[in-house]
Amino acid sequence: MSSKQSFPPVVDTHTHTLILGSLPGDKSLLQQQYYAHPQNKFWKLVGDSIGVELATLDYPARLSTLLVHQIGLWDVIANARRRGSLDSDIREHTHNDLPALIDTLPELKTIAFNGGTAARIGMKTLGERARDFRILLLPSSSSAYATLSFAQKLDMWQQLTTTGNSC
């Protein structure tokens, strides 16, 4: 079981929505890109939600387009031991300092968790601070989470572009 670590956050002072995953998978770590596995539907889900074909853009353009739409990315886990890419195989993890990051984001209103592991760890890490934000618990964009169809996932992911109270 090898040690793996997350990437730096992709945010700026205008970030309104922060999407938090768990820990990059092997393909993402190898390519040093968030959601690099072609079967992961993250870029399609977010792109369809904001009306931009993110999946067809090169990686730097994807990130800059997210920032233009005031969307940031990070992971709840800083490092962990894991064989493969499944969240269920994560062991001995340490979490990223989410409270410190959100303190640098004056326009942050929404925190969206990409999958159950991210939500469980992220909500624990945020603690009482979670009440300050609209929280979205989104189904995992990973192809390993096949309980819902793409259309069902997209219906939930489109909450990224709506305003409202906590879900």
Side-chain angles (χ1 to χ4, degrees):
M1 207 176 293
S2 60
S3 180
K4 300 173 181 184
Q5 69 180 59
S6 70
F7 305 132
V10 176
V11 295
D12 64 22
T13 58
H14 302 292
T15 297
H16 182 276
T17 300
L18 179 62
I19 302 173
L20 297 170
S22 56
L23 181 69
D26 287 348
K27 180 77 85 174
S28 294
L29 291 167
L30 181 67
Q31 294 185 27
Q32 289 295 290
Q33 296 181 3
Y34 280 103
Y35 304 102
H37 198 292
Q39 291 181 342
N40 189 301
K41 300 301 181 195
F42 176 84
W43 295 109
K44 180 81 172 127
L45 288 164
V46 175
D48 285 1
S49 296
I50 63 173
V52 177
E53 291 286 331
L54 289 175
T56 63
L57 301 176
D58 65 23
Y59 185 68
R62 289 177 185 182
L63 296 182
S64 63
T65 301
L66 286 182
L67 292 175
V68 164
H69 284 84
Q70 298 179 295
I71 297 172
L73 290 178
W74 205 23
D75 290 306
V76 296
I77 296 173
N79 56 63
R81 295 180 55 74
R82 181 181 65 198
R83 179 177 295 122
S85 297
L86 295 177
D87 283 358
S88 59
D89 291 331
I90 292 172
R91 303 287 183 266
E92 303 170 28
H93 75 273
T94 58
H95 60 269
N96 276 318
D97 192 348
L98 301 179
L101 178 68
I102 63 177
D103 285 344
T104 69
L105 304 174
E107 295 183 28
L108 186 65
K109 302 287 184 233
T110 300
I111 297 174
F113 294 104
N114 182 0
T117 299
R120 187 173 56 258
I121 294 169
M123 290 298 288
K124 184 176 180 181
T125 303
L126 289 173
E128 298 294 317
R129 297 287 306 274
R131 289 192 275 188
D132 298 336
F133 302 96
R134 175 179 176 237
I135 301 293
L136 298 178
L137 307 176
L138 302 175
S140 175
S141 62
S142 170
S143 61
Y145 181 72
T147 305
L148 300 176
S149 69
F150 178 82
Q152 290 170 313
K153 288 182 182 184
L154 179 59
D155 186 52
M156 297 174 77
W157 275 75
Q158 287 177 328
Q159 295 176 82
L160 290 172
T161 56
T162 61
T163 58
N165 298 324
S166 298
C167 297

